[in-house]
Amino acid sequence: MKLKKFCLPLLAMMLIGSAAWAQSSDDVEAARKKKQEEERMNQDWACLKCFAEANSKVVPPAAGEKRVVFMGNSITIGWLNTVPEFFNGKPYINRGISGQTTPQMLIRFRPDVIDLKPSVVVILAGTNDIAGNTGYTPVETIYGNIVSMAELAKANKIRVVLSSVLPVFDYPWRPGLEPIPKIAELNAKVKAYAEKNGFVYLDYFSAMVDERKGLKAELTYDGVHPNKAGYLVMQPLAEAAIKTALSKK
């Protein structure tokens, strides 16, 4: 009996110590990742290194190949991670980087889009600017950065698909910004610009918005990023937009 009484507290201490070690290990890893991200932001703000190796392995398009580059943020790269079969076996290249804003995308537009020689670029950008990921950015400036990417593409004979910003009621990592009117303003500007310049406007917003002007609950896991069901809504819209862009002279 005495042995049992001694062993139980000892076992409890061992379990507590194990849990504390695991928590400490998680904290160390989180701190390491945070430091790594801060260093990257200071030294490679646009993350030009993110796809440098992958880009070096991209060969010129084969005869008749209609290559498409998807340029964007976490919603773009999340598409590849969540529904990889959408990209498999197609001449699609995903160049989304989580958290990025339009000035970062503009800086990396040449190596991550132009130099890959696509026939079409699908640009999905602006939501992280509205969320203030790299500081306050007026809608007019966000719009200007998107226009600059489109004009770079056009100058290099790349057909342009400009995507709407997806609906957001509130950003969970930065609540209280009231993004609904800003998203509406940006989408209206991008749509008008696309129509005036012969680009394709890809309207995800109308197909995914709920009565609050946010993202439909069944299409997202956090109110901002699509889940698999969300990407399955986006897929035919994107394919139709690409087909339309390729049909343009």
Side-chain angles (χ1 to χ4, degrees), residues 2 10 21 92 95 118 145 158 161 177 210 220 233 245 248:
K2 290 182 179 180
L10 180 60
W21 179 87
Y92 293 174
R95 289 296 179 260
N145 289 333
I158 300 169
V161 174
L177 293 179
D210 67 10
T220 181
V233 171
K248 290 179 175 289

Side-chain angles (χ1 to χ4, degrees), residues 39-141:
E39 288 176 352
R40 183 188 69 75
M41 288 292 286
N42 289 332
Q43 299 171 11
D44 184 13
W45 185 69
C47 206
L48 295 171
K49 291 181 180 178
C50 282
F51 290 110
E53 183 177 354
N55 289 343
S56 70
K57 297 176 182 177
V58 176
V59 299
E65 178 184 339
K66 301 300 182 182
R67 179 173 292 171
V68 180
V69 173
F70 288 75
M71 164 60 89
N73 46 45
S74 57
I75 295 172
T76 297
I77 195 63
W79 198 339
L80 178 62
N81 295 332
T82 306
V83 194
E85 56 269 27
F86 175 68
F87 296 87
N88 292 341
K90 300 172 186 173
Y92 293 174
I93 298 176
N94 191 300
R95 289 296 179 260
I97 296 178
S98 180
Q100 282 215 325
T101 55
T102 55
Q104 292 171 306
M105 292 182 205
L106 182 56
I107 289 172
R108 67 182 179 90
F109 197 80
R110 184 169 296 280
D112 286 353
V113 178
I114 295 170
D115 291 349
L116 304 183
K117 308 297 182 185
S119 298
V120 179
V121 61
V122 179
I123 300 171
L124 175 54
T127 196
N128 287 327
D129 302 68
I130 293 171
N133 280 21
T134 50
Y136 168 72
T137 308
V139 169
E140 188 63 35
T141 301

